[in-house]
mmCIF file with all atom_site columns, all heavy atoms in Angstrom:
data_model
loop_
_atom_site.group_PDB
_atom_site.id
_atom_site.type_symbol
_atom_site.label_atom_id
_atom_site.label_alt_id
_atom_site.label_comp_id
_atom_site.label_asym_id
_atom_site.label_entity_id
_atom_site.label_seq_id
_atom_site.pdbx_PDB_ins_code
_atom_site.Cartn_x
_atom_site.Cartn_y
_atom_site.Cartn_z
_atom_site.occupancy
_atom_site.B_iso_or_equiv
_atom_site.pdbx_formal_charge
_atom_site.auth_seq_id
_atom_site.auth_comp_id
_atom_site.auth_asym_id
_atom_site.auth_atom_id
_atom_site.pdbx_PDB_model_num
ATOM   1   N N   . GLU A 1 77  ? 25.585 1.118   23.544 1.00 98.00 ? 100 GLU A N   1
ATOM   2   C CA  . GLU A 1 77  ? 26.349 0.771   22.347 1.00 98.00 ? 100 GLU A CA  1
ATOM   3   C C   . GLU A 1 77  ? 25.427 0.615   21.141 1.00 98.00 ? 100 GLU A C   1
ATOM   4   O O   . GLU A 1 77  ? 24.386 -0.039  21.223 1.00 98.00 ? 100 GLU A O   1
ATOM   5   C CB  . GLU A 1 77  ? 27.104 -0.555  22.564 1.00 98.00 ? 100 GLU A CB  1
ATOM   6   C CG  . GLU A 1 77  ? 27.968 -0.549  23.826 1.00 98.00 ? 100 GLU A CG  1
ATOM   7   C CD  . GLU A 1 77  ? 28.940 -1.722  23.903 1.00 98.00 ? 100 GLU A CD  1
ATOM   8   O OE1 . GLU A 1 77  ? 29.060 -2.472  22.919 1.00 98.00 ? 100 GLU A OE1 1
ATOM   9   O OE2 . GLU A 1 77  ? 29.566 -1.862  24.967 1.00 98.00 ? 100 GLU A OE2 1
ATOM   10  N N   . LEU A 1 125 ? 26.641 -7.177  21.683 1.00 98.00 ? 148 LEU A N   1
ATOM   11  C CA  . LEU A 1 125 ? 25.540 -6.398  22.254 1.00 98.00 ? 148 LEU A CA  1
ATOM   12  C C   . LEU A 1 125 ? 25.267 -5.128  21.446 1.00 98.00 ? 148 LEU A C   1
ATOM   13  O O   . LEU A 1 125 ? 24.118 -4.762  21.198 1.00 98.00 ? 148 LEU A O   1
ATOM   14  C CB  . LEU A 1 125 ? 25.866 -6.088  23.718 1.00 98.00 ? 148 LEU A CB  1
ATOM   15  C CG  . LEU A 1 125 ? 25.045 -5.095  24.516 1.00 98.00 ? 148 LEU A CG  1
ATOM   16  C CD1 . LEU A 1 125 ? 24.984 -5.536  25.962 1.00 98.00 ? 148 LEU A CD1 1
ATOM   17  C CD2 . LEU A 1 125 ? 25.673 -3.717  24.435 1.00 98.00 ? 148 LEU A CD2 1
ATOM   18  N N   . ASN A 1 276 ? 35.591 -2.408  27.203 1.00 93.00 ? 299 ASN A N   1
ATOM   19  C CA  . ASN A 1 276 ? 35.439 -3.745  27.786 1.00 93.00 ? 299 ASN A CA  1
ATOM   20  C C   . ASN A 1 276 ? 34.230 -4.449  27.217 1.00 93.00 ? 299 ASN A C   1
ATOM   21  O O   . ASN A 1 276 ? 33.166 -3.875  27.110 1.00 93.00 ? 299 ASN A O   1
ATOM   22  C CB  . ASN A 1 276 ? 35.261 -3.660  29.297 1.00 93.00 ? 299 ASN A CB  1
ATOM   23  C CG  . ASN A 1 276 ? 36.509 -3.158  29.975 1.00 93.00 ? 299 ASN A CG  1
ATOM   24  O OD1 . ASN A 1 276 ? 37.599 -3.257  29.426 1.00 93.00 ? 299 ASN A OD1 1
ATOM   25  N ND2 . ASN A 1 276 ? 36.342 -2.614  31.157 1.00 93.00 ? 299 ASN A ND2 1
ATOM   26  N N   . ASN A 1 278 ? 32.002 -7.843  27.960 1.00 84.00 ? 301 ASN A N   1
ATOM   27  C CA  . ASN A 1 278 ? 31.779 -8.901  28.947 1.00 84.00 ? 301 ASN A CA  1
ATOM   28  C C   . ASN A 1 278 ? 32.712 -8.798  30.144 1.00 84.00 ? 301 ASN A C   1
ATOM   29  O O   . ASN A 1 278 ? 33.228 -9.791  30.633 1.00 84.00 ? 301 ASN A O   1
ATOM   30  C CB  . ASN A 1 278 ? 31.875 -10.278 28.296 1.00 84.00 ? 301 ASN A CB  1
ATOM   31  C CG  . ASN A 1 278 ? 30.548 -10.684 27.683 1.00 84.00 ? 301 ASN A CG  1
ATOM   32  O OD1 . ASN A 1 278 ? 29.542 -10.777 28.384 1.00 84.00 ? 301 ASN A OD1 1
ATOM   33  N ND2 . ASN A 1 278 ? 30.534 -10.904 26.382 1.00 84.00 ? 301 ASN A ND2 1
ATOM   34  N N   . ASP A 1 280 ? 32.996 -6.119  33.770 1.00 85.00 ? 303 ASP A N   1
ATOM   35  C CA  . ASP A 1 280 ? 32.557 -4.935  34.491 1.00 85.00 ? 303 ASP A CA  1
ATOM   36  C C   . ASP A 1 280 ? 33.775 -4.269  35.124 1.00 85.00 ? 303 ASP A C   1
ATOM   37  O O   . ASP A 1 280 ? 34.203 -4.628  36.194 1.00 85.00 ? 303 ASP A O   1
ATOM   38  C CB  . ASP A 1 280 ? 31.543 -5.347  35.568 1.00 85.00 ? 303 ASP A CB  1
ATOM   39  C CG  . ASP A 1 280 ? 31.162 -4.184  36.472 1.00 85.00 ? 303 ASP A CG  1
ATOM   40  O OD1 . ASP A 1 280 ? 31.113 -3.044  35.983 1.00 85.00 ? 303 ASP A OD1 1
ATOM   41  O OD2 . ASP A 1 280 ? 30.936 -4.428  37.664 1.00 85.00 ? 303 ASP A OD2 1
ATOM   42  N N   . HIS A 1 363 ? 22.398 -10.228 28.882 1.00 98.00 ? 386 HIS A N   1
ATOM   43  C CA  . HIS A 1 363 ? 23.257 -10.758 27.816 1.00 98.00 ? 386 HIS A CA  1
ATOM   44  C C   . HIS A 1 363 ? 24.401 -11.629 28.315 1.00 98.00 ? 386 HIS A C   1
ATOM   45  O O   . HIS A 1 363 ? 25.278 -11.976 27.519 1.00 98.00 ? 386 HIS A O   1
ATOM   46  C CB  . HIS A 1 363 ? 23.866 -9.615  26.998 1.00 98.00 ? 386 HIS A CB  1
ATOM   47  C CG  . HIS A 1 363 ? 22.873 -8.797  26.249 1.00 98.00 ? 386 HIS A CG  1
ATOM   48  N ND1 . HIS A 1 363 ? 22.542 -9.031  24.929 1.00 98.00 ? 386 HIS A ND1 1
ATOM   49  C CD2 . HIS A 1 363 ? 22.122 -7.747  26.636 1.00 98.00 ? 386 HIS A CD2 1
ATOM   50  C CE1 . HIS A 1 363 ? 21.639 -8.145  24.537 1.00 98.00 ? 386 HIS A CE1 1
ATOM   51  N NE2 . HIS A 1 363 ? 21.371 -7.351  25.558 1.00 98.00 ? 386 HIS A NE2 1
ATOM   52  N N   . ASN A 1 471 ? 18.079 -14.187 19.786 1.00 98.00 ? 494 ASN A N   1
ATOM   53  C CA  . ASN A 1 471 ? 18.622 -13.111 18.944 1.00 98.00 ? 494 ASN A CA  1
ATOM   54  C C   . ASN A 1 471 ? 18.409 -13.376 17.452 1.00 98.00 ? 494 ASN A C   1
ATOM   55  O O   . ASN A 1 471 ? 18.143 -14.506 17.044 1.00 98.00 ? 494 ASN A O   1
ATOM   56  C CB  . ASN A 1 471 ? 20.133 -12.968 19.183 1.00 98.00 ? 494 ASN A CB  1
ATOM   57  C CG  . ASN A 1 471 ? 20.461 -12.213 20.465 1.00 98.00 ? 494 ASN A CG  1
ATOM   58  O OD1 . ASN A 1 471 ? 21.587 -12.224 20.940 1.00 98.00 ? 494 ASN A OD1 1
ATOM   59  N ND2 . ASN A 1 471 ? 19.486 -11.546 21.032 1.00 98.00 ? 494 ASN A ND2 1
ATOM   60  N N   . TYR A 1 561 ? 36.821 -17.118 27.397 1.00 98.00 ? 584 TYR A N   1
ATOM   61  C CA  . TYR A 1 561 ? 35.647 -17.994 27.321 1.00 98.00 ? 584 TYR A CA  1
ATOM   62  C C   . TYR A 1 561 ? 35.288 -18.335 25.869 1.00 98.00 ? 584 TYR A C   1
ATOM   63  O O   . TYR A 1 561 ? 34.684 -19.370 25.605 1.00 98.00 ? 584 TYR A O   1
ATOM   64  C CB  . TYR A 1 561 ? 34.458 -17.391 28.094 1.00 98.00 ? 584 TYR A CB  1
ATOM   65  C CG  . TYR A 1 561 ? 33.567 -16.439 27.316 1.00 98.00 ? 584 TYR A CG  1
ATOM   66  C CD1 . TYR A 1 561 ? 32.585 -16.926 26.438 1.00 98.00 ? 584 TYR A CD1 1
ATOM   67  C CD2 . TYR A 1 561 ? 33.675 -15.053 27.464 1.00 98.00 ? 584 TYR A CD2 1
ATOM   68  C CE1 . TYR A 1 561 ? 31.760 -16.061 25.734 1.00 98.00 ? 584 TYR A CE1 1
ATOM   69  C CE2 . TYR A 1 561 ? 32.859 -14.188 26.767 1.00 98.00 ? 584 TYR A CE2 1
ATOM   70  C CZ  . TYR A 1 561 ? 31.913 -14.693 25.896 1.00 98.00 ? 584 TYR A CZ  1
ATOM   71  O OH  . TYR A 1 561 ? 31.099 -13.845 25.189 1.00 98.00 ? 584 TYR A OH  1
ATOM   72  N N   . GLU A 1 663 ? 28.662 -18.529 26.277 1.00 98.00 ? 686 GLU A N   1
ATOM   73  C CA  . GLU A 1 663 ? 28.280 -17.562 25.234 1.00 98.00 ? 686 GLU A CA  1
ATOM   74  C C   . GLU A 1 663 ? 26.763 -17.467 25.230 1.00 98.00 ? 686 GLU A C   1
ATOM   75  O O   . GLU A 1 663 ? 26.075 -18.409 24.847 1.00 98.00 ? 686 GLU A O   1
ATOM   76  C CB  . GLU A 1 663 ? 28.784 -18.021 23.862 1.00 98.00 ? 686 GLU A CB  1
ATOM   77  C CG  . GLU A 1 663 ? 28.616 -16.996 22.748 1.00 98.00 ? 686 GLU A CG  1
ATOM   78  C CD  . GLU A 1 663 ? 29.562 -15.806 22.880 1.00 98.00 ? 686 GLU A CD  1
ATOM   79  O OE1 . GLU A 1 663 ? 29.236 -14.871 23.650 1.00 98.00 ? 686 GLU A OE1 1
ATOM   80  O OE2 . GLU A 1 663 ? 30.637 -15.831 22.242 1.00 98.00 ? 686 GLU A OE2 1
ATOM   81  N N   . ALA A 1 664 ? 26.231 -16.305 25.639 1.00 98.00 ? 687 ALA A N   1
ATOM   82  C CA  . ALA A 1 664 ? 24.782 -16.192 25.799 1.00 98.00 ? 687 ALA A CA  1
ATOM   83  C C   . ALA A 1 664 ? 24.053 -16.595 24.518 1.00 98.00 ? 687 ALA A C   1
ATOM   84  O O   . ALA A 1 664 ? 23.114 -17.389 24.548 1.00 98.00 ? 687 ALA A O   1
ATOM   85  C CB  . ALA A 1 664 ? 24.419 -14.773 26.205 1.00 98.00 ? 687 ALA A CB  1
ATOM   86  N N   . SER A 1 665 ? 24.472 -16.031 23.406 1.00 98.00 ? 688 SER A N   1
ATOM   87  C CA  . SER A 1 665 ? 23.839 -16.402 22.144 1.00 98.00 ? 688 SER A CA  1
ATOM   88  C C   . SER A 1 665 ? 24.888 -16.543 21.046 1.00 98.00 ? 688 SER A C   1
ATOM   89  O O   . SER A 1 665 ? 25.053 -17.587 20.436 1.00 98.00 ? 688 SER A O   1
ATOM   90  C CB  . SER A 1 665 ? 22.812 -15.339 21.735 1.00 98.00 ? 688 SER A CB  1
ATOM   91  O OG  . SER A 1 665 ? 22.495 -15.449 20.361 1.00 98.00 ? 688 SER A OG  1
ATOM   92  N N   . GLY A 1 666 ? 25.627 -15.447 20.814 1.00 98.00 ? 689 GLY A N   1
ATOM   93  C CA  . GLY A 1 666 ? 26.423 -15.366 19.605 1.00 98.00 ? 689 GLY A CA  1
ATOM   94  C C   . GLY A 1 666 ? 25.472 -14.930 18.493 1.00 98.00 ? 689 GLY A C   1
ATOM   95  O O   . GLY A 1 666 ? 24.289 -15.310 18.479 1.00 98.00 ? 689 GLY A O   1
HETATM 96  C C1  . 26Q B 2 .   ? 29.963 -3.227  31.869 1.00 85.95 ? 2   26Q B C1  1
HETATM 97  C C2  . 26Q B 2 .   ? 30.375 -2.416  32.911 1.00 85.95 ? 2   26Q B C2  1
HETATM 98  C C3  . 26Q B 2 .   ? 31.465 -1.563  32.775 1.00 85.95 ? 2   26Q B C3  1
HETATM 99  C C4  . 26Q B 2 .   ? 32.127 -1.507  31.549 1.00 85.95 ? 2   26Q B C4  1
HETATM 100 C C5  . 26Q B 2 .   ? 31.710 -2.314  30.495 1.00 85.95 ? 2   26Q B C5  1
HETATM 101 C C6  . 26Q B 2 .   ? 30.633 -3.180  30.652 1.00 85.95 ? 2   26Q B C6  1
HETATM 102 C C7  . 26Q B 2 .   ? 30.208 -4.050  29.520 1.00 85.95 ? 2   26Q B C7  1
HETATM 103 C C8  . 26Q B 2 .   ? 30.291 -3.606  28.209 1.00 85.95 ? 2   26Q B C8  1
HETATM 104 C C9  . 26Q B 2 .   ? 29.903 -4.416  27.156 1.00 85.95 ? 2   26Q B C9  1
HETATM 105 C C10 . 26Q B 2 .   ? 29.706 -5.328  29.758 1.00 85.95 ? 2   26Q B C10 1
HETATM 106 C C11 . 26Q B 2 .   ? 29.299 -6.140  28.689 1.00 85.95 ? 2   26Q B C11 1
HETATM 107 C C12 . 26Q B 2 .   ? 29.397 -5.678  27.368 1.00 85.95 ? 2   26Q B C12 1
HETATM 108 C C13 . 26Q B 2 .   ? 29.013 -6.467  26.197 1.00 85.95 ? 2   26Q B C13 1
HETATM 109 C C14 . 26Q B 2 .   ? 28.449 -7.660  26.240 1.00 85.95 ? 2   26Q B C14 1
HETATM 110 C C15 . 26Q B 2 .   ? 28.117 -8.408  25.021 1.00 85.95 ? 2   26Q B C15 1
HETATM 111 O O1  . 26Q B 2 .   ? 28.435 -8.009  23.913 1.00 85.95 ? 2   26Q B O1  1
HETATM 112 N N1  . 26Q B 2 .   ? 27.441 -9.551  25.157 1.00 85.95 ? 2   26Q B N1  1
HETATM 113 C C16 . 26Q B 2 .   ? 27.052 -10.356 24.008 1.00 85.95 ? 2   26Q B C16 1
HETATM 114 O O2  . 26Q B 2 .   ? 25.730 -10.002 23.621 1.00 85.95 ? 2   26Q B O2  1
HETATM 115 C C17 . 26Q B 2 .   ? 25.364 -10.628 22.408 1.00 85.95 ? 2   26Q B C17 1
HETATM 116 C C18 . 26Q B 2 .   ? 23.992 -10.115 22.012 1.00 85.95 ? 2   26Q B C18 1
HETATM 117 O O3  . 26Q B 2 .   ? 23.017 -10.629 22.863 1.00 85.95 ? 2   26Q B O3  1
HETATM 118 C C19 . 26Q B 2 .   ? 25.393 -12.131 22.556 1.00 85.95 ? 2   26Q B C19 1
HETATM 119 O O4  . 26Q B 2 .   ? 25.131 -12.710 21.307 1.00 85.95 ? 2   26Q B O4  1
HETATM 120 C C20 . 26Q B 2 .   ? 26.761 -12.609 23.074 1.00 85.95 ? 2   26Q B C20 1
HETATM 121 O O5  . 26Q B 2 .   ? 26.718 -13.998 23.346 1.00 85.95 ? 2   26Q B O5  1
HETATM 122 C C21 . 26Q B 2 .   ? 27.139 -11.834 24.324 1.00 85.95 ? 2   26Q B C21 1
HETATM 123 O O6  . 26Q B 2 .   ? 28.444 -12.165 24.735 1.00 85.95 ? 2   26Q B O6  1
#
Side-chain angles (χ1 to χ4, degrees):
E100 307 192 8
L148 169 147
N299 293 338
N301 275 300
D303 173 34
H386 296 265
N494 282 166
Y584 88 80
E686 188 71 277
S688 162

